[in-house]
Amino acid sequence: DAKQRADAQGRGRLAAENVTREVSEQFRILVQRVVEYALFLLDPMGRVTTWNAGAARIKGYDADEIIGRHFSVVFTPEDLAAGEPAAALETARRTGRFEKEAWGVGKDGSRFLANVVLDAITDEDGRLIGFAKITRDITEQRRAQRELEDTREALVQAQKMEMVGQLTGGLAHDFNNMLAGIIGALNLMQRRVAAGRHHEVGKYVDGALTSAPRPASPTSRLLAFGRRQSLDIKPVDVAAAVSSMEILLARSIGENI
């Protein structure tokens, strides 16, 4: 009976080992066939021990060219100088995972923007036996995002310039009203001088000087609105700012508001 139980346990262990080997082989084949991601393993020192088709596609190295080499070969010179490979291994060793978006460099020297995940692998006793590294090339994704942002910015700028065109037509009338005060003061000064009443000129000079800066405010705000560059950031009295923009607002939102 004891021998039969021992034989049965042995057969059970053998069957379990066979299943484990089959699953491991299926998983290995699956990983090898993945081409969208670079999936590979490192030993505890950071040397490459496996290399899938995705890694070969993204980084340009065939398996026989890279296995056995330190994974720092795919880091940029700047990151190498900054000690990034060692820092990544240390972070993964200490916390279990390292993740970052960074520039990678392929075999031909070309660069690509990558999302990198480095996971520590431990045995049942918690001892470090290596690392699993997953790299995804996000260069095209970031480029598409930048193009979308540029398109949005161009659209906003076009809308702003269209509004500027609408505003300028309405502001022409308002400028005439603002300039009327200056022109009127100058006419009165001319008449007083011709009449020899020079002592009355001063008040008309004051009136002209008071009216003169008024057109400058909407002009400067209109130019600021149309410009692409960022404005100076500073605290502002919102109520006063809105009141000072009354002319621009009235022209842009219409008379029914």
Side-chain angles (χ1 to χ4, degrees), residues 220-221 224 227 230-238 241 244:
S220 63
R221 295 181 187 279
R227 281 197 295 262
S230 300
L231 303 180
D232 294 333
I233 298 176
K234 59 184 179 182
V236 65
D237 182 335
V238 176
S244 69

Side-chain angles (χ1 to χ4, degrees), residues 166-167 246-257:
Q166 295 173 352
L167 288 171
E246 181 179 355
I247 294 173
L248 295 182
L249 289 173
R251 294 296 177 184
S252 61
I253 65 180
E255 296 179 356
N256 61 325
I257 299 176

Side-chain angles (χ1 to χ4, degrees), residues 180-196:
I182 301 173
I183 295 171
L186 291 173
N187 285 333
L188 291 171
M189 289 166 57
Q190 188 178 45
R191 292 179 184 178
R192 295 301 183 272
V193 169

Side-chain angles (χ1 to χ4, degrees), residues 78-181:
E78 297 88 343
D79 285 345
L80 287 174
E84 284 291 329
L89 291 176
E90 178 57 30
T91 299
R93 184 181 293 111
R94 188 179 67 255
T95 66
R97 167 170 284 212
F98 170 84
E99 185 168 1
K100 185 178 182 181
E101 285 189 6
W103 287 102
V105 59
K107 178 183 176 182
D108 61 358
S110 61
R111 298 195 177 198
F112 56 92
L113 188 60
N115 176 264
V116 177
V117 177
L118 184 66
D119 285 312
I121 303 174
T122 57
D123 61 16
E124 294 178 354
D125 297 323
R127 290 189 296 266
L128 180 71
I129 58 175
F131 301 90
K133 190 168 186 290
I134 304 174
T135 302
R136 181 165 61 97
D137 186 346
I138 58 173
T139 308
E140 286 301 312
Q141 178 183 335
R142 288 291 180 269
R143 182 189 62 78
Q145 288 178 347
R146 285 195 299 270
E147 288 182 354
L148 179 59
E149 290 168 1
D150 291 344
T151 301
R152 287 174 177 168
E153 182 182 351
L155 176 60
V156 170
Q157 188 66 17
Q159 291 172 334
K160 286 171 64 175
M161 296 313 297
E162 180 182 1
M163 186 174 290
V164 168
Q166 295 173 352
L167 288 171
T168 51
L171 284 174
H173 177 70
D174 297 314
F175 274 117
N176 286 335
N177 292 337
M178 295 176 185
L179 292 173

